[in-house]
């Protein structure tokens, strides 16, 4: 059974940095991609970033491009989200997700097969 567990979320001041981790267990295959999504209070969950597992190429939402970096440690089945220059509007629950198949960049929730429970990131002004 595939499980994803996020960690690293906390309260941080605007302008600071934070790194989220997502450890995947129970994988019997290499995922085609991993992604990060977020959901702010009163809003729908939105795409943040994705990385193709074997190629390592990435794609970001415009709102985080240049500030966030997604990366993986394939030996540890872990995906990271380095968040710099955080803003109050980055406040959300952050979820990681794994996609089992597919070649193109996956930007939509339904393209992912497994999800973590989320980790809260709060950015104070």
């Amino acid at each position: 059974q595939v499980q994803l567990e996020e960690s690293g979320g906390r309260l941080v001041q605007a302008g600071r940095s934070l790194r989220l981790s997502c450890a995947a267990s129970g994988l019997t295959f290499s995922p085609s991609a991993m992604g990060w999504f977020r959901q702010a209070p009163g809003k729908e969950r939105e795409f943040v970033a994705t990385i193709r597992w074997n190629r390592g190429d990435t794609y970001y939402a415009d709102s985080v491009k240049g500030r966030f970096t997604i990366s993986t440690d394939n030996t540890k089945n872990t995906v990271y989200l380095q968040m710099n220059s955080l803003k109050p509007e980055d406040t959300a629950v952050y979820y990681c997700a794994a996609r089992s198949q597919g070649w193109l960049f996956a930007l939509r929730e339904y393209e992912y097969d497994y999800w973590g429970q989320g980790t809260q990131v709060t950015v104070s002004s």
Side-chain angles (χ1 to χ4, degrees), residues 1 4 11 22 38 44 52 56 59 76 78 86 105 108-109 112:
Q1 182 179 357
L4 304 178
L11 173 65
C22 173
R38 67 186 182 185
E44 294 187 350
R52 292 198 284 201
Y59 191 90
K76 297 181 180 179
T78 300
L86 282 162
F105 281 121
R108 297 172 180 81
E109 292 182 57
Y112 290 84

Side-chain angles (χ1 to χ4, degrees), residues 76-95:
K76 297 181 180 179
N77 285 342
T78 300
V79 61
Y80 304 98
L81 185 67
Q82 177 67 43
M83 305 185 293
N84 299 329
S85 302
L86 282 162
K87 304 174 181 179
E89 51 263 44
D90 294 320
T91 295
V93 177
Y94 283 72
Y95 299 88

Side-chain angles (χ1 to χ4, degrees), residues 64-80:
V64 306
K65 199 173 297 182
R67 299 189 298 122
F68 290 12
T69 302
I70 186 172
S71 62
T72 62
D73 183 337
N74 293 18
T75 64
K76 297 181 180 179
N77 285 342
T78 300
V79 61
Y80 304 98

